[in-house]
Amino acid sequence: MLHLKEIIFFQKQNRKVEMDTVGSQELHLEGRQSCPRKLGVSLNHVANVGFIDLPDDVLYAILQKCDIRSLGRLCQVCSKLNTLILSDSVWRPYKNFNNLIGSSTLPQKRTCSSYNRQLTSPCIKEQLRLSHNWVENKGRERVICRLSPRQLPWIQLTGDSLWFSVSNTIRCYRLQNNGKLREDRKHNLTLQDQQHKRRQEESRQLCSTDENGKYPNLTNKDVSRFVVKDDIAVSGCRDGSLYVFDCSSGRCLDCMYKLHKTDTQTVDFYDTCIISGSRDRTVKILCMSQEDDGDNKVKANIDMRDRIWSIAMATDGQRFTVGTSGCKGNPSLSVWDVERAENIFSLGSYRFGAGVLDMKYEDKNTLLTCGYDATVKMWDMRSGSCVQEWHETFDTTLYCIQTDRNNTMVTGTARYGMIRLWDKRKTEPIQKYNLSQKSPVYSVAFDHSRMFAALDMSINTLDFSVLPA
């Protein structure tokens, strides 16, 4: 690597070159005959050529040999060097030696609408700066939304839109160009169909003669978990219902009222196939084609004989994985075929109480899981074996996990608002973040410069794009 002192020394030596400017001067070339100069052009400009005057390809070759400290100083010399140093080709050699933070946004199968556009990744230099702030815990915490009473919110980031659940509504916040968040109320999704709304109004009128003037809470419409993909949102409800929304218009496309006997704990979908799991120990496979109506949408009903905590569909949509509480003598992870609704194999051995609370598919052959055993596990779906483990230092429950599908993982714990940052190439966590509110972290999401956390009383964010004071 070239240091800044060596570059300055090279520039001074170049300026010390002196050449005579005689009209008939002869240039003596090594190993050749002398060549007379006939035009009498002055060569003083050669002596005055500085480091900045070198061709861009030569400057790029030099800058690629400099270390990070020298590059940081050179970019402050002039606008030309600053522009050249911003090029990804200068910083690419350092990309593989640092943990660049990506984004947890799900890959889209089709082009998203204008309201949900995909944010472009910053240049490699900016990614290195942001990753340094992540590792050094140089972030500014801010509360996006306060929740009352205490809730179990869920959160997801898609492009430039942040979705999180508040009671019976999935709120949409837009990421502005200045880095701030602004609520987009037109695209908020509410779990209440028109038929239920009419029934509720009728029940209120019937109960209006109550002594206290109050009517009972007829149904619990709080959002349990939801998934947003390709401008479609599928949400579970605490009363066992299932809702499908069009995110671009905010319109409810379908509602399956009381699909489960108890709350719909987890959902996932691929194309027109929806998988839902409930506390009633059942998994339902549904097809959302327009030809099917009512009960015809339920293609299969699977009895898991254990409480269901999490479900994830593979990226190719051919199989799904179910995570249970692990209290009934069966392994807490099982893989199922979508088309035949048959159990393919189980992952791992049985361990009492080692329930799986969250899981994420990185690709069709790689699955990440976490739960009550305080361990993040990576599974190879081709062999059905665990290929790597990362154990939580404080041995606390891991409520959620997110990944950028490269080397970065983020886990939310049940310990006093603590979030862990992991690098898959290392066995120990890189950094821990303690939020101001002492609450379990029920869900997390992140991009290159921000991390979002869902707590029981608020939705918080950590901004790592802050500049040094």
Side-chain angles (χ1 to χ4, degrees):
M1 293 293 181
L2 292 177
H3 294 276
L4 185 60
K5 294 182 179 180
E6 298 176 358
I7 297 175
I8 297 175
F9 176 77
F10 169 76
Q11 187 175 357
K12 291 181 178 180
Q13 290 295 110
N14 190 23
R15 290 179 177 176
K16 290 182 180 180
V17 177
E18 297 180 356
M19 295 185 180
D20 298 331
T21 57
V22 182
S24 60
Q25 180 183 10
E26 294 182 353
L27 299 178
H28 297 276
L29 304 179
E30 183 177 357
R32 300 183 182 181
Q33 296 181 353
S34 61
C35 177
R37 298 192 56 199
K38 297 181 179 180
L39 298 179
V41 179
S42 175
L43 295 180
N44 285 334
H45 70 283
V46 178
N48 294 328
V49 172
F51 177 71
I52 306 297
D53 301 320
L54 293 174
D56 288 351
D57 54 347
V58 177
L59 290 175
Y60 276 128
I62 297 175
L63 293 175
Q64 290 175 355
K65 302 296 182 181
C66 296
D67 58 4
I68 294 181
R69 186 180 297 274
S70 298
L71 290 174
R73 293 175 177 175
L74 284 172
C75 68
Q76 304 178 40
V77 173
C78 63
S79 59
K80 180 179 180 180
L81 281 179
N82 185 39
T83 303
L84 294 176
I85 292 175
L86 285 176
S87 174
D88 287 347
S89 61
V90 176
W91 297 91
R92 190 166 288 112
Y94 300 98
K95 186 175 181 179
N96 296 329
F97 297 99
N98 295 271
N99 182 36
L100 296 185
I101 309 298
S103 175
S104 63
T105 300
L106 293 175
Q108 304 291 329
K109 293 193 302 180
R110 55 187 173 89
T111 305
C112 295
S113 56
S114 58
Y115 87 96
N116 193 20
R117 66 186 186 278
Q118 295 294 318
L119 298 179
T120 57
S121 300
C123 62
I124 297 180
K125 177 191 174 184
E126 181 66 10
Q127 290 184 45
L128 288 170
R129 186 186 74 86
L130 294 173
S131 300
H132 174 77
N133 289 346
W134 276 78
V135 175
E136 297 297 327
N137 196 5
K138 297 180 179 179
R140 183 182 296 124
E141 183 180 359
R142 188 168 63 88
V143 176
I144 301 175
C145 177
R146 297 192 181 277
L147 310 178
S148 180
R150 296 180 184 272
Q151 301 183 26
L152 300 175
W154 194 252
I155 195 170
Q156 186 176 340
L157 183 65
T158 59
D160 67 338
S161 299
L162 177 67
W163 306 84
F164 58 87
S165 59
V166 179
S167 296
N168 68 330
T169 304
I170 302 175
R171 294 189 182 181
C172 176
Y173 274 67
R174 297 284 302 278
L175 300 176
Q176 306 296 317
N177 295 330
N178 57 5
K180 296 183 179 180
L181 287 166
R182 181 179 180 182
E183 185 177 3
D184 188 358
R185 296 189 177 182
K186 294 182 179 179
H187 295 99
N188 287 349
L189 312 176
T190 303
L191 273 62
Q192 189 173 22
D193 60 293
Q194 296 299 328
Q195 294 180 359
H196 168 71
K197 185 176 181 180
R198 185 176 64 254
R199 289 194 300 267
Q200 191 177 35
E201 290 296 334
E202 294 175 355
S203 300
R204 290 181 180 181
Q205 294 177 3
L206 294 175
C207 299
S208 59
T209 59
D210 187 79
E211 296 179 357
N212 299 326
K214 298 181 181 180
Y215 53 87
N217 186 11
L218 301 176
T219 56
N220 187 356
K221 283 288 180 180
D222 285 354
V223 179
S224 53
R225 286 195 186 183
F226 65 89
V227 180
V228 180
K229 297 179 185 177
D230 302 320
D231 290 348
I232 299 295
V234 177
S235 174
C237 186
R238 294 296 177 189
D239 67 350
S241 302
L242 188 70
Y243 289 81
V244 182
F245 293 93
D246 182 3
C247 296
S248 58
S249 63
R251 184 169 58 93
C252 180
L253 300 178
D254 199 354
C255 171
M256 282 145 284
Y257 186 68
K258 295 288 186 177
L259 180 66
H260 294 275
K261 296 179 181 179
T262 58
D263 58 340
T264 306
Q265 183 68 33
T266 177
V267 294
D268 201 358
F269 74 97
Y270 180 88
D271 200 10
T272 60
C273 180
I274 300 178
I275 312 294
S276 67
S278 172
R279 293 175 59 185
D280 61 5
R281 305 178 182 181
T282 61
V283 172
K284 294 183 183 293
I285 303 178
L286 302 97
C287 182
M288 299 306 298
S289 60
Q290 297 179 355
E291 293 80 6
D292 297 329
D293 295 328
D295 296 336
N296 294 331
K297 294 179 180 179
V298 180
K299 300 303 179 182
N301 193 349
I302 305 173
D303 185 8
M304 298 297 299
R305 301 179 182 179
D306 201 353
R307 179 172 179 173
I308 299 166
W309 282 116
S310 57
I311 283 178
M313 292 192 72
T315 55
D316 58 359
Q318 296 181 2
R319 56 189 176 184
F320 64 94
T321 305
V322 180
T324 62
S325 61
C327 298
K328 298 298 180 179
N330 298 321
S332 55
L333 278 172
S334 57
V335 183
W336 296 75
D337 184 86
V338 174
E339 187 68 24
R340 303 190 305 269
E342 295 179 356
N343 186 11
I344 304 175
F345 55 86
S346 297
L347 298 176
S349 58
Y350 173 70
R351 179 184 172 188
F352 181 79
V356 178
L357 297 178
D358 195 14
M359 62 178 75
K360 292 291 184 300
Y361 269 98
E362 293 195 310
D363 53 59
K364 65 178 183 180
N365 296 320
T366 307
L367 177 68
L368 295 174
T369 63
C370 68
Y372 285 116
D373 57 355
T375 304
V376 177
K377 296 182 179 181
M378 177 186 289
W379 302 88
D380 187 348
M381 305 305 291
R382 293 164 294 188
S383 61
S385 60
C386 180
V387 295
Q388 197 167 356
E389 294 184 1
W390 298 269
H391 189 72
E392 166 60 39
T393 307
F394 294 155
D395 197 28
T396 184
T397 300
L398 300 178
Y399 272 40
C400 56
I401 183 172
Q402 277 292 357
T403 173
D404 64 351
R405 293 165 185 81
N406 189 15
N407 294 319
T408 303
M409 299 184 301
V410 175
T411 56
T413 69
R415 184 184 178 92
Y416 306 117
M418 186 181 70
I419 301 175
R420 289 283 194 184
L421 176 65
W422 303 82
D423 187 342
K424 295 178 184 176
R425 298 166 293 186
K426 301 179 181 179
T427 57
E428 298 295 327
I430 300 176
Q431 185 58 268
K432 70 180 180 70
Y433 312 96
N434 293 310
L435 302 180
S436 57
Q437 182 184 339
K438 307 307 178 185
S439 158
V441 181
Y442 296 109
S443 181
V444 292
F446 64 93
D447 59 11
H448 300 280
S449 59
R450 291 170 290 259
M451 178 170 58
F452 307 96
L455 310 177
D456 58 1
M457 293 291 289
S458 63
I459 306 295
N460 292 24
T461 178
L462 278 174
D463 187 3
F464 296 98
S465 62
V466 293
L467 296 175

